Amino acid sequence: MLNCSRRKLLRAATSLAAVGVCGGVATASVGMSQPAPGLAAHAAARGMFYGCAIDHDTLAGPPAALAHVPAECSMVVGEYSFKWDSTQPARNDFSFTRADAVMDFAERNRLRVRGHNLLWHEAVPAWLPKILTSANGEALLTQHIEAVAGRYRGRMAHWDVVNEVVQPDDMQPLNLRDTLWTRALGARCLDIAFEACARADPTALRVLNEFGTDYAIPWQERKRAALLTLLADLVARRVPIQAVGLQAHLDAAEVTLDQAVLAKFVADIASMGLKIVVTELDVRDDRLPADPVARDIAVADHAGAWLDAVLPNPAVLGVLTWGLSDKRSWLDAKFPRPDGLPQRPLPLDDKMSRKRLWSSIAAGFDGLTPRLANRL
Ligand code: G3I
């Protein structure tokens, strides 16, 4: 494993090489006339993968833009298509048009697919909370997972079986978030979901996916501790969880990124025999000044510091960003910039040119000791 200072040098070199510098002023982004190997090639050289979230609107977009997905990625995840309100919009009325479109695109382009997600308190169809009870909850959840995970049996690399279940402030047992699922089934909803997924698609890596574990701030310190306690309970009870997804929705203006805290958190997860996937990386810049070059540098450096703390752990399998280009990010709706400018949270700009963040992710892989290629 390279030491930190060598990774920093490598990061700087990669960043300059990949981003044009004209007259001493670095441009915000430059086109790559002959695209160098994509991020997936940098990842694969270290036995890892890189991918991004796509969806039906990505697939319906300009083919020239869509072509960047297979050029950069070896994996994709549906940003919305596999969620409950997309796949079972009406009770017992399953709809796989959008999910099939993502899967078909991926398989045509020899990309692996992450399923996202099977148990969540959001993206819930309107009919579900109206009828869900402790009496029918297990059957409803099991039926859904059997139908959705079963449909893609053998074709899905991972499933985010359980999404965003930790919320210490809700004061629930095991620090679980108070949701329609825990009110109906208690903590058993996790066991039911993981066991149903293991039966429906034994080959998909079963992941618990979580956000808010990135910074040395009180609520995230509580969340990291609560997540570790939950994971220890699940592992001790032999619930068939195999991995943890760290969403990594980062904030370039956050000054409490502590690499030692992050590295220990990742090591604590790995010590339980669990793998780790960086599942939704992006970097909000709404609290930064408008200048795109300054934003790109801050976003790239922030992501680089996070990646340099996390990627060296051999339990980490790969990285996905929550989108590929700034053309579309959930962040613009969630955290609109005061100046109204679109955010610049992703590896490619709105013209599909590689940015400093692209170089920073590449350097994050390049700085690692190669590890055995994983098919997880
Ligand atoms: O496509 C339908 C459209 O047909 C329908 O008319 C319309 C009616 O509201 O909804 C459209 O679906 C929207 C969907 O995105 C696809 O664009 C949903 O309203 C909207 O709520 C949904 O937002 C997604 C959100 O999860 C909720 O599912 C965001 O795009 C997506 O980025 C966000 O992703 C989450 C991860 O799943 C979990 N981690 C956090 C992350 C960011 O919130």
Side-chain angles (χ1 to χ4, degrees), residues 56 79-80 83 98 116 120 123 163-164 247 249 280 322 328 330:
H56 52 286
E79 186 171 3
Y80 172 72
K83 293 172 179 173
R98 289 178 168 175
H116 173 84
W120 194 24
N163 197 49
E164 305 179 2
Q247 291 186 11
H249 289 299
E280 305 182 15
W322 204 239
R328 182 188 174 287
W330 70 288

Side-chain angles (χ1 to χ4, degrees), residues 241-323:
I241 178 176
Q242 296 169 303
V244 173
L246 301 180
Q247 291 186 11
H249 289 299
L250 305 181
D251 179 350
E254 186 52 65
V255 297
T256 61
L257 195 161
D258 182 325
Q259 290 184 312
V261 165
L262 271 177
K264 179 166 185 323
F265 173 58
V266 165
D268 288 345
I269 294 172
S271 71
M272 298 185 211
L274 297 173
K275 299 296 185 184
I276 294 154
V277 179
V278 181
T279 51
E280 305 182 15
L281 175 65
D282 53 22
V283 188
R284 59 183 278 205
D285 69 11
D286 54 295
R287 297 194 289 163
L288 298 184
D291 175 56
V293 174
R295 278 196 272 158
D296 284 359
I297 291 169
V299 161
D301 290 351
H302 194 86
W306 193 95
L307 291 169
D308 285 351
V310 170
L311 294 191
N313 191 303
V316 179
L317 302 176
V319 177
L320 298 101
T321 50
W322 204 239

